[in-house]
Amino acid sequence: MSHNPPQNEQRILIKGAYLVTQDAELGNFVGDILVTDGRISAVGQDLADDRARIVDGTGKAVLPGFIDTHRHNWQGALRNLGPAWTYQEYRSQVQIGLGQYFDPEDVHIGNLAADLMSLDSGVTTVRDESHISNSPEHSDAAIAAHWESGIRAVFDHGWPSTEAEQWQFGSARTHPVDIRRIRNEVLSDDSARVTLNAMLRGPELSTPEVSGKDIQLARELDLRISMHVGLGEWGAEQQAIRQLEETGLLASDMTFIHCCTSTDEELRMLAARGATASVAGALEVFMPGLGQPATNRLLAAGVRPSLSVDTETIVSGDMFGVMRATLAYQQLVLAGAAGPMDRVPDLPTFDAADLLSFATIEGARAAGIDDRTGSLTPGKEADLIMICLDHANLLPATDVAASIVAGGHAGNVDLVLVAGVVLKEDGALKGGDTVFAEAAASRDRLFRAASLPLPT
Ligand SMILES: [Zn+2]
């Protein structure tokens, strides 16, 4: 089964929208935005183009599409299984319990389901943390889904979920060598809509020796690196960022995911090397065992983080929920409910406008694609979304950023473009009609293989 992405529409002119540009020079204003040949060609007042299709932006906000810097897309058909799971329950049920039974076709449908719900909620770029590299065919299936859905994807090649326990927490195995084939034969073009990064385990999930070899391999292949660090008490003991700093490996090509129990000093090391961070605010709030979101501690260290969903088995795959949960945790800390890593009472805080920048331009920076997306800057590829401020749940939208963060949901996302291609319009997603049935069939097959009772 394959799904063909919609084709590029040549010229679109959105008139009279509130533009949240994420470009410091342009700022925010009511105006027009012209898209031609897949790129933003102009942003300003009273733009005209005789050949463009005109879209009325009155009562709407136009933003760069949301950028999710860390999602395990392969779990898209296992959505919402355990919102009250602990970290250990998630590991044993999903990564260890189900991951070993995935066929390439299950990865394909999981990725497609994750991509489509992302697009529906205004996520135009996803960094797919793919620790389902059970075979080369599994990785190929994951990548194929990104091409088909039309989303911008950074495919982050990871490790297998077969023998999952042997691949994490002290693993002596080096990164799967198939990443060389993918780099050389599948994703060699770094300017394409789907690009390649390396999802490495680092010193926290492997050994210092393995970590060094894996990093060397990624850099030899000229790939950016993502790494899960600061995971619960284990992360506090390991201090992965410090280990990387002390061995001279910490650098600006790295994105550190979670950092919940990384020390303040480690976060300052991260900042000093120009590395980036991804806060999975909703997941970290929902799932006991990781620690608390490090957003304020990152800001104190001088890092403006990106945001991420992580696993849809536990939290919703939209960035509205991630932004709200991230804010909710800050407000809990301000109210005195700080966790062990948030002792400091006077950390810098963030507001709704900051959250929108974390979810857009900071995501582009973390994924190394801010030259082409993340803001409404003319010349960038046209990855943008239009949100209906005149819907009942958002009106009268006195403060646009606050309205979107406090009340926004996927139903408010009226229009979605990736590289100028319309993937959602008038509130309706294009394509994906068969995905629900395919996702259910994949889930049922996986549950049967794992001898789990089928959902009723
Ligand atoms: Zn993760």
Side-chain angles (χ1 to χ4, degrees):
M1 175 221 57
S2 106
H3 300 256
N4 294 319
Q7 296 304 301
N8 194 351
E9 196 173 330
Q10 299 301 314
R11 308 174 85 84
I12 300 170
L13 176 57
I14 303 174
K15 300 278 292 177
Y18 184 81
L19 305 177
V20 184
T21 68
Q22 301 298 345
D23 181 315
E25 287 181 23
L26 293 171
N28 300 339
F29 61 97
V30 175
D32 310 336
I33 180 164
L34 178 64
V35 173
T36 60
D37 298 322
R39 291 186 183 274
I40 297 167
S41 52
V43 175
Q45 309 282 354
D46 301 319
L47 300 182
D49 187 295
D50 292 344
R51 292 177 292 158
R53 180 161 70 93
I54 308 294
V55 174
D56 184 7
T58 309
K60 318 277 197 271
V62 173
L63 289 72
F66 294 122
I67 297 176
D68 173 4
T69 53
H70 148 233
R71 185 184 316 211
H72 307 294
N73 287 48
W74 59 275
Q75 300 165 0
L78 303 176
R79 186 167 289 148
N80 303 329
L81 286 182
W85 276 344
T86 63
Y87 182 42
Q88 287 312 323
E89 285 172 320
Y90 160 72
R91 287 253 309 138
S92 67
Q93 306 227 22
V94 179
Q95 279 188 283
I96 299 168
L98 288 167
Q100 61 185 306
Y101 297 110
F102 267 66
D103 287 338
E105 182 57 25
D106 298 310
V107 177
H108 180 260
I109 193 63
N111 271 36
L112 207 50
D115 284 5
L116 291 173
M117 94 78 67
S118 298
L119 291 165
D120 189 48
S121 63
V123 175
T124 54
T125 299
V126 67
R127 192 177 196 178
D128 174 15
E129 298 284 309
S130 192
H131 49 7
I132 191 73
S133 305
N134 298 6
S135 77
E137 290 74 26
H138 286 70
S139 299
D140 290 345
I143 293 164
H146 295 317
W147 286 118
E148 292 162 24
S149 71
I151 204 166
R152 188 178 302 284
V154 177
F155 176 74
D156 232 332
H157 181 267
W159 56 91
S161 275
T162 43
E163 302 176 288
E165 285 170 291
Q166 270 70 56
W167 282 96
Q168 291 192 49
F169 298 102
S171 172
R173 300 181 178 186
T174 50
H175 193 89
V177 293
D178 189 47
I179 194 170
R180 283 186 185 278
R181 177 191 65 88
I182 296 173
R183 180 54 161 163
N184 294 328
E185 299 174 21
V186 185
L187 294 175
S188 56
D189 180 359
D190 289 335
S191 66
R193 175 164 60 75
V194 183
T195 52
L196 181 65
N197 279 187
M199 177 196 188
L200 301 185
R201 293 156 300 160
E204 184 165 331
L205 296 180
S206 63
T207 65
E209 190 190 4
V210 166
S211 171
K213 285 182 181 167
D214 289 353
I215 292 168
Q216 189 179 17
L217 173 63
R219 289 183 176 153
E220 179 201 325
L221 298 175
D222 198 19
L223 297 175
R224 293 178 65 86
I225 293 163
S226 71
M227 207 176 275
H228 286 56
V229 299
L231 309 175
E233 292 175 7
W234 177 260
E237 283 170 30
Q238 298 296 314
Q239 298 203 15
I241 296 172
R242 177 193 299 279
Q243 287 194 49
L244 294 169
E245 171 68 16
E246 289 174 352
T247 50
L249 293 168
L250 183 62
S252 62
D253 58 358
M254 293 173 156
T255 300
F256 292 95
I257 294 164
H258 296 305
C259 307
C260 295
T261 55
S262 304
T263 65
D264 292 347
E265 189 185 10
E266 286 185 281
L267 301 185
R268 286 192 291 272
M269 292 170 176
L270 183 165
R273 297 293 177 190
T276 50
S278 177
V279 170
L283 188 280
E284 291 156 9
V285 163
F286 270 71
M287 191 172 75
L290 283 186
Q292 295 82 41
T295 326
N296 302 87
R297 297 196 301 115
L298 283 161
L299 290 172
V303 178
R304 289 180 69 77
S306 66
L307 298 178
S308 59
V309 165
D310 199 338
T311 171
E312 287 186 71
T313 62
I314 292 174
V315 294
S316 176
D318 68 88
M319 299 300 274
F320 299 104
V322 175
M323 291 191 291
R324 274 198 282 278
T326 306
L327 183 59
Y329 179 71
Q330 170 182 273
Q331 301 308 100
L332 272 171
V333 171
L334 291 174
M341 298 305 291
D342 262 327
R343 295 178 291 274
V344 186
D346 56 348
L347 294 175
T349 57
F350 53 90
D351 61 15
D354 290 315
L355 284 161
L356 286 185
S357 79
F358 297 165
T360 54
I361 185 64
E362 297 304 338
R365 289 186 179 125
I369 53 174
D370 52 311
D371 59 334
R372 75 202 70 159
T373 190
S375 69
L376 301 182
T377 307
K380 285 194 179 182
E381 297 198 37
D383 296 358
L384 58 87
I385 63 176
M386 191 163 82
I387 292 178
C388 296
L389 301 174
D390 51 0
H391 279 181
N393 64 311
L394 296 182
L395 67 82
T398 308
D399 178 317
V400 172
S403 300
I404 292 169
V405 169
H409 57 66
N412 303 131
V413 178
D414 189 63
L415 178 72
V416 176
L417 270 66
V418 174
V421 177
V422 178
L423 297 174
K424 184 180 184 183
E425 186 159 32
D426 298 328
L429 200 58
K430 302 205 168 195
D433 303 343
T434 60
V435 169
F436 178 85
E438 288 165 339
S442 168
R443 174 207 55 200
D444 289 355
R445 199 200 67 73
L446 288 163
F447 274 50
R448 266 193 296 271
S451 302
L452 292 172
L454 284 176
T456 51

